[in-house]
């Protein structure tokens, strides 16, 4: 069965906030986010997903910055806790960076959310591509990729160790004997490494899922290695079916090298769907957003995605210049360079793509067209499912739930009821056994 997630905000399109059907303050609105989560749950989605950042867009040029939302939404862990209370089935996934968080805090956040939601929490592991975050945490510059990924690998080991501080049956709650927990079923972490010194144990019981689901969003070589070693779900940007099949095979091959079962990883590329009753209507929905992009904003968005390259001196209707490798997101930079060469795109056409989909694949057409596309990717082994990144919300999600989901169900490719209680159960992922020996 195809798995589905959706990113929640005002929409992926940089001009979504200007759309007549999008609340202008959607980024800051809890009712807006709750409504989206409830629509996704009605559509039997596996999870909602928050792509968080710990900094605003670049404010070096306030005039340009003022043309777009400075950040996509409020603090997501608090939003997810609120959504957990008003939903029953939908998974709740948030980005949290290994570069600027500390492992104990993060382990505690997600373990608590897993308890609050009865097993629906997920952590999207990133190393931060927004270099502006450094200045918010007392650093003069963003760490290099090698440093970020080395810290990330160690970070995950610490978090998983903390999540295994207690066995599932450690807490006795024996009032008659006055025994709250079994000390033989507690594991003191005592982690020591170049990056962290963390004693443990975590002061939260083992969560309903054992470990909250770990997702990872990185398609560079470093990102693929990290995801194959540590993650349950790989969220990736893939534009071509052949490349996506190769990427999926590569990740699974790497997972085997880490001693993992390839069925324990779900690969979910991002898509930006425009759904219409006719193909023309679907195209008009995109055009209505693209017309709202000005060149200043378009160049700013594209520049951030390709390594903060200044494109202001180049002809907008000319080709993209040669670029040096980025220290932020090399995989996203490579996607835009490849697209520009493959499709002969001008800088203007490239920034229109960047403003719409942030480097992800746009799928436009009727419900039947889009179901055909997703089916082809699923059956080719390119994807176990997809993360929707609607261009504008709530309309983009409602269109998909009302039109595409029934078509996938008719084909027997999508559930008609939730499969289980926890996010792991609905995704078809195994529950980690954890530390069973336990010692103090």
């Amino acid at each position: 069965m195809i798995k589905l997630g959706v990113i929640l905000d005002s929409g992926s399109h940089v001009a979504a906030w200007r759309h007549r059907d999008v609340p202008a303050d959607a980024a800051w609105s809890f009712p807006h986010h709750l409504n989206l989560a409830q629509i996704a749950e009605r559509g039997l989605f596996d999870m909602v997903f928050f792509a968080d950042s710990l900094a605003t867009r670049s404010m070096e040029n306030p005039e340009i910055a003022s043309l777009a939302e400075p950040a996509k939404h409020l603090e997501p862990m608090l939003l997810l806790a609120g959504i957990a209370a008003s939903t029953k089935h939908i998974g709740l996934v948030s980005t949290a960076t290994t570069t600027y968080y500390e492992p104990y805090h993060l382990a505690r956040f997600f373990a608590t959310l897993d308890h609050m939601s009865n097993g629906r929490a997920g952590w999207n592991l990133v190393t931060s591509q927004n270099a502006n975050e450094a200045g918010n945490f007392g650093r003069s510059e963003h760490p290099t990729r090698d440093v970020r990924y080395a810290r990330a690998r160690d970070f995950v080991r610490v978090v998983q160790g903390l999540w295994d501080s207690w066995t599932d049956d450690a807490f006795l709650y024996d009032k008659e004997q006055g025994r709250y927990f079994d000390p033989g079923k507690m594991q003191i972490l005592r982690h020591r490494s170049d990056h962290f010194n963390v004693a443990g144990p975590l002061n939260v019981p083992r969560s309903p899922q054992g470990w909250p689901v770990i997702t990872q969003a990185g398609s560079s070589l470093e990102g693929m290695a990290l995801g194959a070693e540590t993650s349950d779900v790989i969220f990736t940007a893939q534009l071509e079916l052949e490349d996506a099949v190769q990427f999926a095979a590569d990740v699974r091959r790497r997972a085997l090298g880490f001693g993992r079962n390839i069925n324990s990883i779900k690969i979910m590329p991002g898509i930006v769907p425009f759904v219409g009753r006719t193909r023309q209507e679907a195209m008009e929905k995109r055009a209505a957003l693209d017309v709202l992009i000005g060149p200043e904003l378009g160049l700013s968005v594209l520049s951030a995605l390709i390594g903060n390259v200044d494109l202001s001196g180049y002809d907008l209707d000319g080709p993209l210049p040669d670029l040096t490798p980025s220290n932020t997101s090399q995989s996203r930079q490579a996607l835009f360079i490849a697209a520009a060469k493959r499709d002969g795109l001008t800088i203007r056409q490239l920034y229109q793509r960047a403003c719409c989909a942030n480097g992800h694949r746009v799928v436009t057409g009727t419900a039947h067209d889009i179901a055909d596309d997703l089916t082809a990717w699923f059956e080719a082994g390119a994807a176990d499912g997809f993360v929707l990144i609607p261009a504008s919300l709530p309309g983009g999600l409602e269109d998909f739930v009302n039109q595409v989901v029934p078509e996938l169900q008719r084909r027997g490719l999508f559930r008609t009821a939730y499969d289980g209680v926890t996010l792991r159960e609905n995704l078809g992922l195994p529950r980690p056994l954890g530390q069973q020996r336990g010692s103090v």
Side-chain angles (χ1 to χ4, degrees):
M1 290 288 182
I2 289 175
K3 306 301 178 184
L4 290 175
V6 59
I7 289 182
L8 303 189
D9 46 35
S10 57
S12 68
H13 200 288
V14 72
W17 70 275
R18 296 181 62 189
H19 192 279
R20 63 181 180 276
D21 296 330
V22 177
D25 64 346
W28 323 121
S29 170
F30 174 72
H32 171 76
H33 288 88
L34 177 58
N35 177 49
L36 297 177
Q38 291 172 334
I39 294 170
E41 188 167 77
R42 173 167 60 83
L44 304 176
F45 276 48
D46 293 271
M47 57 190 171
V48 294
F49 185 103
F50 289 88
D52 193 31
S53 178
L54 297 175
T56 62
R57 294 178 182 273
S58 174
M59 291 294 175
E60 292 179 1
N61 188 328
E63 288 299 320
I64 294 177
S66 71
L67 302 175
E69 294 166 313
K72 294 302 286 184
H73 48 68
L74 300 170
E75 202 290 312
M77 292 302 295
L78 296 176
L79 282 174
L80 289 174
I83 290 172
S86 298
T87 54
K88 294 182 179 179
H89 304 286
I90 195 81
L92 307 167
V93 181
S94 176
T95 293
T97 174
T98 57
T99 302
Y100 297 109
Y101 278 91
E102 288 296 322
Y104 195 93
H105 279 130
L106 188 144
R108 193 168 182 241
F109 287 154
F110 284 99
T112 299
L113 181 63
D114 211 43
H115 281 287
M116 292 178 65
S117 63
N118 295 317
R120 294 185 282 137
W123 165 34
N124 181 45
L125 186 169
V126 301
T127 67
S128 289
Q129 65 175 352
N130 187 347
N132 293 330
E133 294 181 5
N136 292 335
F137 291 87
R139 303 188 187 185
S140 59
E141 60 183 17
H142 195 48
T144 63
R145 293 178 62 82
D146 289 346
V147 170
R148 297 201 313 272
Y149 276 97
R151 176 183 165 97
R153 287 189 293 273
D154 201 25
F155 193 110
V156 177
R157 296 187 191 101
V158 177
V159 168
Q160 291 173 335
L162 290 169
W163 283 339
D164 281 343
S165 293
W166 310 91
T167 63
D168 291 322
D169 58 350
F171 290 88
L172 306 174
Y173 309 117
D174 188 339
K175 293 187 178 183
E176 290 188 7
Q177 299 297 320
R179 196 170 177 82
Y180 198 87
F181 70 91
D182 182 345
K185 295 182 177 181
M186 177 177 69
Q187 177 74 24
I188 302 292
L189 182 61
R190 298 190 181 95
H191 181 94
R192 299 290 182 270
S193 68
D194 292 340
H195 299 280
F196 303 109
N197 293 321
V198 181
L202 191 67
N203 59 352
V204 178
R206 197 156 195 260
S207 69
Q209 296 185 99
W211 299 346
V213 168
I214 299 178
T215 75
Q216 192 267 342
S219 300
S220 65
L221 291 178
E222 299 95 332
M224 291 169 66
L226 180 63
E229 181 180 3
T230 65
S231 302
D232 302 299
V233 177
I234 305 294
F235 174 39
T236 176
Q238 299 293 329
L239 299 179
E240 300 294 325
L241 177 57
E242 183 178 343
D243 293 340
V245 170
Q246 182 177 340
F247 172 85
D250 196 352
V251 169
R252 293 182 177 116
R253 184 168 55 250
R254 291 170 184 268
L256 284 174
F258 289 110
R260 301 186 64 188
N261 185 324
I262 60 173
N263 294 322
S264 66
I265 299 178
K266 303 298 179 183
I267 297 174
M268 300 178 67
I271 60 167
V272 181
F274 288 93
V275 188
R277 289 166 295 182
T278 65
R279 293 176 183 175
Q280 181 63 30
E281 181 184 71
M283 293 171 63
E284 288 171 356
K285 289 182 177 182
R286 176 170 180 177
L289 287 164
D290 284 346
V291 74
L292 302 175
I293 307 169
E296 298 87 353
L297 179 58
L299 286 175
S300 174
V301 171
L302 179 60
S303 172
L305 290 170
I306 61 174
N308 295 315
V309 178
D310 183 4
L311 298 172
S312 60
Y314 293 90
D315 180 4
L316 294 183
D317 297 308
L320 187 71
D322 293 334
L323 304 176
T324 57
S326 168
N327 180 42
T328 53
S329 179
Q330 289 184 358
S331 61
R332 194 57 51 88
Q333 182 191 58
L335 276 175
F336 279 102
I337 293 173
K341 292 181 178 178
R342 181 185 63 247
D343 300 333
L345 300 178
T346 66
I347 291 175
R348 188 190 307 276
Q349 291 169 326
L350 204 58
Y351 79 56
Q352 287 177 339
R353 287 197 183 186
C355 288
C356 176
N358 198 30
H360 289 280
R361 192 166 67 98
V362 177
V363 186
T364 305
T366 65
H368 191 276
D369 294 332
I370 292 176
D372 280 348
D373 181 279
L374 303 189
T375 299
W377 279 55
F378 178 69
E379 292 182 345
D384 297 297
F386 303 89
V387 175
L388 271 65
I389 317 171
S392 64
L393 288 161
L397 178 58
E398 288 178 322
D399 288 343
F400 194 95
V401 167
N402 294 337
Q403 299 179 55
V404 181
V405 165
E407 178 62 23
L408 292 173
Q409 291 170 328
R410 187 186 66 78
R411 301 179 187 206
L413 292 174
F414 191 64
R415 63 168 64 95
T416 56
Y418 279 102
D419 305 300
V421 175
T422 70
L423 177 55
R424 283 187 177 277
E425 290 170 343
N426 287 320
L427 287 170
L429 294 170
R431 187 180 190 277
L433 294 178
Q435 299 284 353
Q436 297 302 317
R437 65 184 186 279
S439 66
V440 297

